[in-house]
Amino acid sequence: MALILAIETSCDETSAAVVRDGVEILSNIISSQIEVHKKFGGVVPEVASRKHLELINGVIREALDGAGADFSSLDAVAVTSGPGLVGALLVGVSAAKAISYARDIPLIAVNHLEGHIYANFLADPGLEFPLICLVVSGGHTDLVIMKGHGNYSVVGRTRDDAAGEAFDKVARTLGLGYPGGPLVDRLAAGGDPFAIHFPRAYLEEGSFDFSFSGLKSAVINYLHRARQRGEEVNAADIAASFQQAVVDVLVDKTFEAAEKYRARTVILAGGVAANRLLRESMAESANKRDLKMLYPPGVLCTDNAAMIACAAYYRYLRGDFSDLTLNAVPGLDLVKGEELNNL
Ligand code: KG4
Ligand code: ZN
């Protein structure tokens, strides 16, 4: 039996969760700062750090109370140590270190992307390896092969914008607001996905990398041209056509990689995994190929601490603990030893 308290503060959600044995969510408190950042049209790092600092103790208290637990009943404390905004990450890392020191319990550092992937293991701890995971968030678009717990190979990644970033920028151009993904998703439901042909970047033959900046520019240019000509645009058609272009490439590359690496299971992770078209298209393609396919429920797709607690549980079983020198690493990569930004 392992009762783990996890803390997540990598971006704009202050979250704490208590999870038993990596599967039973006793509490998952998510305090979103979206309202604060909305007026700036995106996350302001300094504002995010300050907000985390204000919220963190209350959120941890709520998570413990909600789980009917207290500090003395915990077996370990886990925290996202990267990637993310350094000032934001440091708030969570400092809180976790303080708890670990004061209670003399193991400290477990979790990679944020690993957390997103493990949201799937909360739903089904029995997923079969090798599996392929498409991680699509505001900062990442990665194709990851897992041969076992904690064993990752990144076989493809974006060369420019992340999928979520493309959604957010297109939403801004359409004047929809922030964060854009869910708003584009909703607007697209009433549009024709084949009304406008936007480009799909498949890159070199056999490449599992992605590129969304050309697509994003094509949408922006389409809108500018129409406005210059004084033409009315159909925003729902634009949203639907853009979304279809993103999803086509994501699905095609994921299943090509699934075949190449003989994956038994295909999973989705990250905020964009909440996208309805992406979920449906992935499920349909998996069905055709007789592959098992899974995605987390919406609230576990976007940032939350329960997914961090789940990933931490498998590190707990391996005795993979950190000491009190743990630092926040904004460019932390999934694959050990590979750090994009050295501090
Ligand atoms: O994983 P996440 O919560 O934070 C990061 O780690 O980046 O992902 C946030 C991203 C944002 O870009 C947001 O617009 C996008 O996920 N997103 C969506 C949807 N819900 C959230 N994108 C498309 N469709 C959605 N339904
Ligand atoms: Zn995230």
Side-chain angles (χ1 to χ4, degrees), residues 8 10-11 112-113 116 137-138 270-271 301-303 307:
E8 154 65 46
S10 68
C11 191
H112 182 73
L113 300 178
H116 275 303
S137 69
C301 284
T302 43
D303 292 348
M307 67 185 193

Side-chain angles (χ1 to χ4, degrees), residues 10-13 112-113 116 136-140 163-165 167-168 179-185 243 270-276 301-303 307:
S10 68
C11 191
D12 60 346
E13 330 275 359
H112 182 73
L113 300 178
H116 275 303
V136 268
S137 69
H140 290 82
E165 211 177 337
F167 269 95
D168 292 338
L183 302 168
V184 171
D185 187 344
Q243 183 176 265
V272 186
N275 185 268
R276 284 173 293 177
C301 284
T302 43
D303 292 348
M307 67 185 193

Side-chain angles (χ1 to χ4, degrees), residues 22-64:
V23 66
E24 196 185 337
I25 304 176
L26 302 182
S27 63
N28 188 22
I29 309 299
I30 305 165
S31 178
S32 173
Q33 304 177 7
I34 284 178
E35 285 308 317
V36 182
H37 297 287
K38 225 177 201 168
K39 52 179 172 289
F40 304 106
V43 179
V44 183
E46 286 77 7
V47 176
S49 318
R50 188 177 293 257
K51 276 306 231 188
H52 283 308
L53 212 49
E54 283 171 20
L55 294 166
I56 188 76
N57 287 337
V59 166
I60 291 173
R61 187 73 262 163
E62 233 185 293
L64 289 172

Side-chain angles (χ1 to χ4, degrees), residues 113 116-117 133-137 140-144 267-270 334:
L113 300 178
H116 275 303
I117 294 171
C133 181
L134 173 67
V135 186
V136 268
S137 69
H140 290 82
T141 309
D142 290 339
L143 265 177
V144 180
I267 60 178
L268 282 179
L334 245 191

Side-chain angles (χ1 to χ4, degrees), residues 309-320:
C310 179
Y313 173 68
Y314 294 88
R315 286 186 181 263
Y316 180 86
L317 293 180
R318 296 196 296 271
D320 187 354

Side-chain angles (χ1 to χ4, degrees), residues 26-306:
L26 302 182
S27 63
N28 188 22
I29 309 299
I30 305 165
S31 178
S32 173
Q33 304 177 7
I34 284 178
E35 285 308 317
V36 182
H37 297 287
K38 225 177 201 168
K39 52 179 172 289
F40 304 106
V43 179
V44 183
E46 286 77 7
V47 176
S49 318
R50 188 177 293 257
K51 276 306 231 188
H52 283 308
L53 212 49
E54 283 171 20
L55 294 166
I56 188 76
N57 287 337
V59 166
I60 291 173
R61 187 73 262 163
E62 233 185 293
L64 289 172
D65 289 349
D70 54 38
F71 287 118
S72 64
S73 47
L74 299 174
D75 294 297
V77 57
V79 65
T80 306
S81 62
L85 304 167
V86 67
L89 288 164
L90 276 170
V91 175
V93 168
S94 310
K97 286 206 279 193
I99 295 166
S100 164
Y101 179 67
R103 302 301 321 174
D104 196 20
I105 51 175
L107 173 67
I108 304 174
V110 173
N111 180 300
H112 182 73
L113 300 178
E114 178 182 30
H116 275 303
I117 294 171
Y118 272 84
N120 288 281
F121 287 93
L122 274 172
D124 182 356
L127 288 176
E128 276 187 76
F129 299 108
L131 64 78
I132 184 158
C133 181
L134 173 67
V135 186
V136 268
S137 69
H140 290 82
T141 309
D142 290 339
L143 265 177
V144 180
I145 306 286
M146 274 180 85
K147 294 203 177 118
H149 288 293
N151 180 335
Y152 312 101
S153 314
V154 180
V155 297
R157 51 166 51 125
T158 183
R159 293 188 187 167
D160 39 60
D161 293 347
E165 211 177 337
F167 269 95
D168 292 338
K169 286 181 182 165
V170 164
R172 194 182 306 170
T173 318
L174 287 171
L176 298 180
Y178 166 86
L183 302 168
V184 171
D185 187 344
R186 222 168 298 149
L187 182 63
D192 173 4
F194 305 104
I196 309 154
H197 185 81
F198 288 128
R200 285 134 171 90
Y202 283 94
L203 306 170
E204 311 83 52
E205 174 87 33
S207 167
F208 297 123
D209 281 349
F210 300 94
S211 166
F212 295 108
S213 69
L215 169 61
K216 180 193 68 191
S217 305
V219 175
I220 294 171
N221 290 341
Y222 177 90
L223 267 166
H224 281 180
R225 242 177 288 136
R227 279 176 191 150
Q228 267 171 357
R229 294 195 199 119
E231 289 169 5
E232 278 281 313
V233 294
N234 183 328
D237 282 352
I238 296 174
S241 302
F242 157 77
Q243 183 176 265
Q244 188 69 50
V246 174
V247 168
D248 279 353
V249 178
L250 291 177
V251 171
D252 289 349
K253 291 205 178 229
T254 302
F255 285 94
E256 231 176 88
E259 196 175 319
K260 176 164 177 187
Y261 296 100
R262 299 178 200 285
R264 301 169 69 96
T265 315
V266 178
I267 60 178
L268 282 179
V272 186
N275 185 268
R276 284 173 293 177
L277 181 71
L278 180 62
R279 289 169 172 237
E280 284 163 20
S281 309
M282 281 282 177
E284 202 177 298
S285 291
N287 215 0
K288 271 191 215 145
R289 293 168 174 84
D290 256 342
L291 281 172
K292 182 174 166 71
M293 146 94 221
L294 190 73
Y295 45 76
V299 66
L300 297 178
C301 284
T302 43
D303 292 348
N304 69 89

